């Protein structure tokens, strides 16, 4: 089986990406990052998603002492629906406070190192540039530039052993991603999207907004929301599902 | 003063780069990486170099559990002068076992995050593609690709706030770098080049080879070697100079 490194955040998009990679015959090696994010609950989600399909994973701890983002700095506030208006427009107009400087570049650079070391042929990332918060490092042109960098800046690239960067969701709407995930059997109840670190999604941040919009447009029920209505506690958080 | 992030390994090239950046009026913020390197003695060197000029620094700990390099994996051997023959030739023919997958990409991605967060305008790295071990991520084409990635993949790039990648040593011989360092007052006795983790340089690895070659061609004396001849202990290592 061909090996692939899959970046798994614990969110909906990366979970669909993992299931998609496996459905296409890739042997997935997940990378999960503990980078000081406010919503570190997503790390547990990521682990549960990987464990639910017996997929290998590594959790990489990263220290970014300079912060520079409301996702890292508890003194800053995550505003409500900061990027509304950017949706369905790949050009970046407003970059919200939740932007983490260099985040996807750092994540991909670790993935690249991992891929070279284990001789993986691809890196999968669930970046999306349609229903998204306007982060520059989620857009196709960034991934094209990263691909170019691999070809000239790595042993694999120089030796013409290709490491592909796969962004299968980049041009899909959130509704399309959710429908695809449904077909693939993604356990959406294990995923986490909310930027806030609380036990239940805030329903107000960018990430909650796009998730709710996606489920609504896909005419599907978000099992996480339904569960929370019943229990007020996330399924990973003490109900013995996959803690 | 304009701010710059300077990657400081503790080696000769990065020390010269730091002194050069400061001589050109940059306020330097050093980044030092503890990435599991065999020659972790260089971390202490880097700290001593920064402290010697009262320069701010951050030490970033990185875990690369997949290893894939003789610099990370103690079970592998660092061969003697692996890359001899690559010298003075920027095209890569033989990539030695000391190549660390994705290393400079990881280092630069942290530097980029730091630079964005503190609004620095440049990142300095002492990469050299003349008297070098043939690492692909030391060559000009890699840095050009990284520059392109910054312009499309970061908030700074999108907002046209330029973060330059400065590689002032890339086309210099080691002898030229040593002469430059001499003019700038670089404390070469505090630098460390050897890939082995011993108390004194092995004199046989690639890194020792290029250092010795550089001092010989520059008709200069390497104070580290002279000191070691007298004491058999590195000046940082217990003689109270800058421990």
């Amino acid at each position: 089986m061909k090996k692939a490194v899959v970046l798994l955040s614990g969110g909906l998009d990366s979970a669909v990406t993992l299931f998609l990679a496996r459905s296409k015959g890739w042997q997935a090696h997940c990378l999960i990052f503990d980078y000081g994010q406010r919503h570190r609950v997503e790390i547990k989600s990521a682990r549960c998603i990987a464990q639910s399909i017996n997929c290998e994973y590594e959790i990489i701890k990263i220290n970014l002492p300079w912060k520079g983002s409301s996702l890292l700095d508890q003194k800053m506030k995550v505003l409500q629906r900061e990027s509304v208006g950017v949706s369905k427009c790949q050009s970046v107009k407003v970059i919200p406070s939740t932007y983490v400087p260099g985040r996807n570049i750092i994540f991909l650079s670790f993935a690249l190192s991992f891929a070279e070391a284990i001789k993986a042929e691809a890196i999968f990332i669930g970046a999306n540039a349609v229903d998204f918060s306007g982060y520059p490092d989620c857009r196709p042109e960034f991934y094209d530039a990263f691909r170019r960098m691999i070809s000239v800046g790595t042993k694999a690239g120089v030796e013409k052993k290709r490491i592909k960067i796969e962004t299968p969701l980049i041009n899909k709407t959130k509704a399309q991603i959710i429908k695809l995930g449904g077909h693939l059997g993604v356990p959406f109840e294990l995923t986490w999207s909310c930027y806030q670190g609380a036990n239940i999604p805030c329903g107000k941040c960018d990430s909650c907004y796009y998730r709710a919009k996606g489920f609504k447009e896909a005419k599907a029920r978000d099992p996480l929301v339904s569960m929370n209505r019943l229990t007020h506690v996330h399924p990973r958080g003490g109900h013995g599902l996959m803690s």
Side-chain angles (χ1 to χ4, degrees), chain A residues 12 39 67 75 96 168 171 174 235:
Chain A
L12 194 152
H39 53 316
K67 304 196 187 295
K75 290 179 199 151
N171 288 317
K174 197 64 109 183

Side-chain angles (χ1 to χ4, degrees), chain A residues 163-201:
Chain A
I163 297 175
K164 292 182 284 186
I165 301 281
E166 295 283 0
T167 56
L169 310 185
I170 203 146
N171 288 317
K172 293 192 191 303
T173 64
K174 197 64 109 183
Q176 288 171 328
I177 295 168
I178 288 165
K179 283 180 187 169
L180 175 60
H183 290 303
L184 293 166
V186 172
F188 288 126
E189 71 280 6
L190 297 179
T191 64
W192 185 265
S193 301
C194 179
Y195 285 147
Q196 305 286 4
N199 268 337
I200 56 169

Side-chain angles (χ1 to χ4, degrees), chain A residues 28-234:
Chain A
H29 299 258
C30 296
L31 268 191
I32 300 168
F33 292 93
D34 176 355
Y35 63 100
Q37 62 267 57
R38 177 188 292 264
H39 53 316
R40 56 177 295 113
V41 56
E42 71 171 4
I43 300 166
K44 201 170 176 188
S45 283
R47 216 172 50 206
C48 290
I49 293 160
Q51 287 171 343
S52 75
I53 48 173
N54 292 317
C55 188
E56 273 186 38
Y57 62 89
E58 292 276 358
I59 299 179
I60 301 292
K61 196 165 170 59
I62 285 176
N63 182 24
L64 301 173
W66 41 83
K67 304 196 187 295
S69 163
S70 63
L71 279 197
L72 303 178
D73 189 347
Q74 295 290 342
K75 290 179 199 151
M76 292 172 75
K77 274 194 175 172
V78 173
L79 302 180
Q80 292 178 20
R81 293 166 60 170
E82 287 184 70
S83 70
V84 173
V86 178
S87 177
K88 296 196 179 178
C89 167
Q90 292 184 8
S91 68
V92 173
K93 288 172 187 166
V94 182
I95 299 174
S97 70
T98 48
Y99 168 74
V100 178
R103 180 173 57 180
N104 282 356
I105 302 175
I106 293 174
F107 290 175
L108 281 173
S109 67
F110 276 88
L112 182 56
S113 178
F114 190 19
E116 270 207 287
I118 65 169
K119 300 195 191 327
E121 293 172 51
I123 296 164
F124 280 79
I125 179 166
N128 177 254
V130 181
D131 284 328
F132 85 132
S133 290
Y135 302 140
D137 51 4
C138 287
R139 300 177 309 153
E141 49 267 59
F142 163 64
Y143 294 96
D144 287 341
F146 202 94
R147 289 178 184 108
R148 164 76 189 148
M149 200 189 55
I150 293 176
S151 69
V152 294
T154 63
K155 184 169 187 266
V158 166
E159 292 176 350
K160 310 289 180 209
K161 289 170 192 155
R162 213 169 144 213
I163 297 175
K164 292 182 284 186
I165 301 281
E166 295 283 0
T167 56
L169 310 185
I170 203 146
N171 288 317
K172 293 192 191 303
T173 64
K174 197 64 109 183
Q176 288 171 328
I177 295 168
I178 288 165
K179 283 180 187 169
L180 175 60
H183 290 303
L184 293 166
V186 172
F188 288 126
E189 71 280 6
L190 297 179
T191 64
W192 185 265
S193 301
C194 179
Y195 285 147
Q196 305 286 4
N199 268 337
I200 56 169
C202 73
K204 291 172 184 170
C205 69
D206 257 18
S207 198
C208 281
Y209 167 75
Y210 287 117
R211 181 175 178 125
K213 180 173 174 286
F215 273 101
K216 190 176 172 191
E217 287 175 8
K219 298 185 173 58
R221 189 183 58 87
D222 183 350
L224 186 57
V225 172
S226 316
M227 263 180 170
N228 280 320
R229 281 207 186 108
L230 291 172
T231 65
H232 291 280
V233 180
H234 188 268

